[in-house]
Amino acid sequence: MMKLAAKDGLAPGAVRLHLAHGVPLLRPEEQVLEAMLDGWRNQQLARNLALSTINGRERKVRAFAAHADAFPWSWSSMLADEWFGDLRAVRGCVRSTLRGYQVAARLFCDYATDPAYGWAAECERRFGTHPIQVGHEWNTAVHMQECETEAPKRALTRDELQAFFDHADDEVSRVRGRGRKGWLPAFRDAMLLKTAYAYGLRRNETRMLDTADFGRNPSAWPGETPLTPVSVCGTVSAPRPAPASDTVSLYGVP
């Protein structure tokens, strides 16, 4: 059973919250690994991370364990290098995907080797060895550029954007000219596309928009026309792991 709150001064994810001290296990390797992953999950839940993020990281760590055919206390940087190379050369992972796998493995090793959680000492007592950090600066990818898309993928030019929005508007006229009911959804889609582009919204932020999110901006500078600001829900910024709410405004000069 997962325990999210600290007990007896132990941090969420500590070994004593998942394994009883001195109790022999029927399948020690498999049971300790599962307890370690459960503890890591609880540690991330205590940090208020999204379940999708936690589940994705756990799948990546399990994939590393399956590829290495070894348990975390037997992992090495050489095994990590082989896995990273296989992801890139055999499975064809792009740079950002590879870095996601590397980050997950590195964070798990940070957790497993942190003395605050006690897993290193527990593994030393049970198996005679302990986990180590397998992801280092010299064998993991570094996020150097804001955009990591491959060469065939690029941003649209102004002419292409104009053609795209014109096509969305033409679809409304075309469907309505035929006397069909589908012109309202086409009009909605055209407006959503323009709104998402104008305010720089992500997909989830656009999906959660409501009419109550729009309003006038009273703090506009004198001489400016305060165009409609939008309260964006479901956004995520770097310091905040949980979805938050921000306000994005557009300004026009008459």
Side-chain angles (χ1 to χ4, degrees):
M1 180 179 179
M2 294 192 304
K3 302 176 179 62
L4 302 183
K7 180 180 179 182
D8 297 331
L10 299 175
V15 62
R16 288 296 161 253
L17 296 177
H18 300 272
L19 290 176
H21 181 67
V23 176
L25 302 176
L26 182 62
R27 300 184 304 276
E29 291 85 359
E30 291 84 354
Q31 290 177 264
V32 170
L33 173 59
E34 292 301 322
M36 191 179 293
L37 289 171
D38 285 342
W40 190 38
R41 165 178 288 268
N42 289 350
Q43 183 249 15
Q44 294 178 93
L45 287 173
R47 294 168 53 201
N48 204 25
L49 297 183
L51 286 175
S52 58
T53 300
I54 298 173
N55 293 335
R57 288 176 176 176
E58 181 178 337
R59 286 194 298 269
K60 292 177 175 64
V61 170
R62 290 184 182 276
F64 179 31
H67 183 275
D69 194 22
F71 294 99
W73 45 91
S74 300
W75 290 352
S76 65
S77 296
M78 182 177 64
L79 292 176
D81 291 345
E82 292 176 357
W83 184 49
F84 300 154
D86 181 77
L87 290 173
R88 187 75 171 130
V90 179
R91 296 185 56 184
C93 291
V94 298
R95 294 178 178 86
S96 58
T97 302
L98 174 62
R99 195 178 66 255
Y101 279 95
Q102 293 174 342
V103 168
R106 192 168 184 172
L107 290 175
F108 176 76
C109 290
D110 282 340
Y111 163 76
T113 57
D114 193 332
Y117 302 105
W119 289 104
E122 182 71 15
C123 292
E124 184 73 31
R125 185 180 66 83
R126 289 181 181 271
F127 310 115
T129 184
H130 57 82
I132 61 173
Q133 178 58 261
V134 299
H136 307 278
E137 294 182 358
W138 44 266
N139 70 340
T140 55
V142 180
H143 191 183
M144 299 293 293
Q145 299 179 350
E146 182 178 356
C147 180
E148 293 185 332
T149 56
E150 300 296 327
K153 298 180 180 179
R154 58 171 177 80
L156 296 176
T157 64
R158 289 182 178 272
D159 292 338
E160 290 170 340
L161 280 172
Q162 187 62 54
F164 175 71
F165 292 133
D166 289 344
H167 175 75
D169 292 335
D170 292 341
E171 281 295 297
V172 179
S173 302
R174 182 183 65 83
V175 176
R176 189 174 186 180
R178 294 184 177 182
R180 296 183 178 179
K181 299 179 180 179
W183 74 271
L184 280 176
F187 180 74
R188 175 205 61 195
D189 294 344
M191 293 300 101
L192 279 177
L193 291 172
K194 296 175 183 178
T195 302
Y197 175 75
Y199 289 98
L201 304 182
R202 302 178 179 90
R203 287 177 296 178
N204 191 54
E205 296 167 352
T206 305
R207 180 181 64 86
M208 299 180 68
L209 283 179
D210 199 350
T211 54
D213 296 328
F214 295 89
R216 292 183 62 82
N217 190 349
S219 60
W221 288 92
E224 291 182 330
T225 301
L227 301 182
T228 306
V230 58
S231 178
V232 181
C233 300
T235 184
V236 175
S237 59
R240 298 175 295 187
S245 176
D246 286 326
T247 300
V248 182
S249 299
L250 295 180
Y251 295 94
V253 179

